[in-house]
Amino acid sequence: MAAIKPEEISHPPMDQLQGLEYCIDSNPSWAETIALGFQHYILALGTAVMIPTFLVPMMGGSDGDKVRVVQTLLFVEGINTLLQTLFGTRLPTVIGGSYTFMVPIISIVRDPSLAIIEDQHLRFLSTMRAVQGALIVASSIQIILGFSQIWAICSRFFSPLGMVPVIALIGFGLFDRGFLVVGTCVEVGIPMLILFIAFSQYLKNFQIRQIPILERFALLISITVIWVYANILTAGGAYKHRPELTQHSCRTDKANLISSAPWIKIPYPLEWGAPTFDAGHAFGMMAAVLVSLVESTGAFKAASRLASATPPPAHVLSRGIGWQGIGILLNGLFGTLTGSTVSVENVGLLGSTRIGSRRVIQVSAGFMIFFSMLGKFGAVFASIPFPIFAAVYCVLFGLVASVGLSFLQFTNMNSMRNLFITGVALFLGLSIPEYFREYTIKAFHGPAHTRAGWFNDFLNTIFYSSPTVALIVAVFLDNTLDYKDSTKDRGMPWWAKFRTFKEDSRNEEFYSLPFNLNRFFPPS
């Protein structure tokens, strides 16, 4: 037997992922681009519907109010996505609603001054205005950190090793939105999971006119098949005598979105009235904005790899955070009931389709804006049962997590120091938020439970987030444990050439502003 060569044992680190069909600045045909953009729009519907469905009834809102919030959220998502892809990082990322803001928003909903309002609709409007005011004030955090380039300075303390647990837990930390939700309706969730994996992986070489149809459009095809199947089960009376929770998860006619949606409705700022401002509400919301900043930072880095781009330089990353702050400000002005962050599932879809084209995401933003104004048509797609989306999340969240783990190739994992940091950050990033969740379920309040509600909201929000806990632990350990003697082990020599805009010639191709705007905003 011939001796095995060293290059046959290991794989050399690579700046960009291989095997992608289209990268950030290359585009499929217009027909494919439109179909792929529609696919990203369908995927974004999951979060856009789930958040208002959970929060609006708690606030005293009706089905009509829920539909209006869903429409407004989609409309603003479209605007924010366009702003981010044009003037922010310019990465192909959908800027969607965020679960991160749930803790401070629920705290506002339960505020005694709002909870005592007897008229349900008035309570909904008053709560919405309070949430708007908190978002407007809190958005200043990201706007200041981003456009002042303070976040760019902070990012210089990040190494490939420090980013591994952060990016990995952006996917792994969302495990409670995966199979736990699939399990609420296994008869549609499991077939969806099997079909999506089969189309996107096992049958990916099936082609029509040299286009891998099943791989590229696995999401659209599998959702269509399972949605039709779910409609047949609903119409056939399969859920007539099932528990209310099962009916809500499985039936295609339980959301009451289509009947409540207007034919045409254009969202506009201050639609719910003038925002109200409370210092305690705003301070609690600032924690959610900081968590959103951390999660988006990791998601931007994951998206750059799945779009076959270089890691975004510090200047570009900070610019993107600034524009995300503008997005949260728009969330507050329009009244979307949540703030903005990078949609993790849509980042995962870049890898599943192997298409990281920026134009595809911009087309999906157009669909968001268009269907948010045509209420009835948008509501039809928004009535897809949640377990169908959750089945897709099981694949796409895992894919994003694995991108985070891929950063280990730039580090020395034979180093006990690196093994310690990675393991502890990953474990605590999962364990601490789980402790906060379990404690809240049993005690009906978070571990931080003092008389200062704003302080409780701040701490509970921070430690509910797996990526944020991982960032705190990993970056602290990475910059204090023998860091001077571990530069190479941490992966810093590879990272160094991507820290400034002009260091790598590819950065100009990927991240330069359109319309020759770099003349007025020169990159640092």
Side-chain angles (χ1 to χ4, degrees):
M1 182 177 177
I4 298 175
K5 299 177 181 179
E7 59 268 22
E8 295 175 340
I9 299 175
S10 61
H11 302 277
M14 304 187 75
D15 294 345
Q16 296 170 282
L17 288 176
Q18 302 299 296
L20 296 172
E21 295 289 335
Y22 295 93
C23 67
I24 183 172
D25 55 356
S26 60
N27 304 303
S29 67
W30 272 108
E32 287 181 78
T33 297
I34 292 171
L36 288 163
F38 184 71
Q39 190 168 237
H40 275 277
Y41 159 73
I42 291 292
L43 183 60
L45 281 175
T47 300
V49 174
M50 284 184 195
I51 293 176
T53 297
F54 178 76
L55 290 175
V56 170
M58 291 178 60
M59 299 162 59
S62 63
D63 287 336
D65 294 324
K66 178 174 69 177
V67 168
R68 289 170 65 195
V69 174
V70 171
Q71 286 181 274
T72 303
L73 179 53
L74 279 172
F75 184 81
V76 177
E77 278 187 20
I79 293 174
N80 287 340
T81 299
L82 284 177
L83 290 175
Q84 189 63 239
T85 54
L86 285 172
F87 308 115
T89 60
R90 307 214 70 214
L91 287 165
T93 50
V94 170
I95 307 300
S98 174
Y99 293 94
T100 295
F101 293 81
M102 284 288 199
V103 173
I105 290 174
I106 291 174
S107 179
I108 294 173
V109 171
R110 293 175 176 172
D111 189 302
S113 64
L114 297 170
I116 61 171
I117 300 175
E118 295 183 2
D119 183 278
Q120 294 284 74
H121 186 62
L122 180 59
R123 181 161 70 90
F124 167 76
L125 290 177
S126 300
T127 307
M128 174 63 84
R129 293 167 187 166
V131 173
Q132 287 182 262
L135 285 170
I136 290 171
V137 174
S139 67
S140 61
I141 296 293
Q142 283 197 15
I143 293 173
I144 293 171
L145 289 177
F147 289 127
S148 69
Q149 292 296 305
I150 292 176
W151 190 241
I153 296 171
C154 294
S155 70
R156 297 183 185 278
F157 293 95
F158 304 160
S159 70
L161 180 71
M163 283 291 100
V164 167
V166 177
I167 302 172
L169 290 182
I170 286 174
F172 291 147
L174 297 172
F175 68 89
D176 57 336
R177 279 156 233 167
F179 203 83
L180 293 176
V181 180
V182 172
T184 62
C185 188
V186 293
E187 51 265 52
V188 298
I190 291 181
M192 178 65 197
L193 178 60
I194 294 172
L195 207 60
F196 183 62
I197 292 175
F199 285 163
S200 64
Q201 303 301 319
Y202 289 97
L203 301 175
K204 62 183 179 182
N205 293 323
F206 176 81
Q207 296 187 353
I208 297 178
R209 295 183 179 180
Q210 297 184 329
I211 298 174
I213 294 293
L214 293 182
E215 178 191 43
R216 200 161 289 180
F217 302 104
L219 180 70
L220 271 183
I221 297 170
S222 53
I223 278 185
T224 301
V225 171
I226 301 301
W227 192 17
V228 170
Y229 169 59
N231 274 288
I232 293 172
L233 290 178
T234 301
Y239 305 111
K240 279 186 178 179
H241 306 293
R242 301 290 294 276
E244 182 65 26
L245 179 61
T246 302
Q247 293 198 38
H248 182 76
S249 298
C250 299
R251 294 182 68 101
T252 57
D253 58 358
K254 264 295 188 182
N256 295 327
L257 292 174
I258 300 174
S259 59
S260 304
W263 282 103
I264 298 177
K265 178 72 170 66
I266 301 176
Y268 56 91
L270 307 183
E271 178 178 355
W272 313 100
T276 57
F277 299 93
D278 179 274
H281 295 166
F283 196 84
M285 196 69 75
M286 287 179 184
V289 169
L290 289 172
V291 169
S292 168
L293 180 152
V294 171
E295 293 178 351
S296 292
T297 296
F300 282 138
K301 292 185 180 295
S304 68
R305 282 193 62 77
L306 290 173
S308 198
T310 54
H315 165 82
V316 172
L317 183 63
S318 198
R319 185 177 74 195
I321 292 301
W323 277 103
Q324 184 170 289
I326 297 292
I328 296 174
L329 176 62
L330 292 177
N331 288 133
L333 291 173
F334 278 83
T336 61
L337 204 53
T338 185
S340 293
T341 192
V342 176
S343 173
V344 178
E345 54 268 35
N346 288 90
V347 171
L349 190 58
L350 300 177
S352 177
T353 59
R354 295 196 296 152
I355 294 180
S357 168
R358 182 190 296 123
R359 181 184 291 174
V360 167
I361 300 302
Q362 292 171 336
V363 168
S364 76
F367 278 116
M368 293 175 200
I369 295 171
F370 178 74
F371 282 115
S372 67
M373 294 188 289
L374 297 180
K376 292 288 186 187
F377 292 100
V380 169
F381 302 116
S383 64
I384 299 170
F386 294 154
I388 292 179
F389 288 109
V392 178
Y393 294 166
C394 290
V395 177
L396 301 184
F397 287 162
L399 185 56
V400 172
S402 66
V403 171
L405 296 178
S406 74
F407 278 83
L408 289 173
Q409 67 184 301
F410 307 112
T411 67
N412 177 17
M413 291 313 290
N414 289 314
S415 162
M416 285 302 301
R417 171 194 181 275
N418 288 2
L419 291 173
F420 176 84
I421 292 172
T422 304
V424 170
L426 283 170
F427 187 85
L428 291 181
L430 285 170
S431 191
I432 291 176
E434 184 63 16
Y435 164 74
F436 271 70
R437 278 190 286 266
E438 290 293 325
Y439 191 104
T440 303
I441 291 172
K442 293 176 182 177
F444 300 104
H445 59 74
H449 186 58
T450 67
R451 292 184 179 180
W454 57 268
F455 178 77
N456 303 336
D457 292 343
F458 193 90
L459 280 187
N460 290 330
T461 301
I462 292 291
F463 290 104
Y464 251 87
S465 167
S466 291
T468 306
V469 173
L471 180 83
I472 293 171
V473 174
V475 173
F476 175 79
L477 292 176
D478 191 36
N479 286 277
T480 55
L481 285 179
D482 303 323
Y483 70 97
K484 289 184 178 179
D485 301 324
S486 306
T487 301
K488 185 177 179 181
D489 287 349
R490 299 164 66 202
M492 293 306 288
W494 172 77
W495 196 271
K497 62 181 177 180
F498 302 118
R499 296 178 75 171
T500 58
F501 189 86
K502 296 179 181 179
E503 193 73 23
D504 193 293
S505 59
R506 293 170 292 180
N507 288 338
E508 184 174 359
E509 175 188 354
F510 298 142
Y511 299 116
S512 289
L513 292 172
F515 317 122
N516 209 18
L517 289 175
N518 276 10
R519 292 182 304 168
F520 307 103
F521 306 99
S524 57

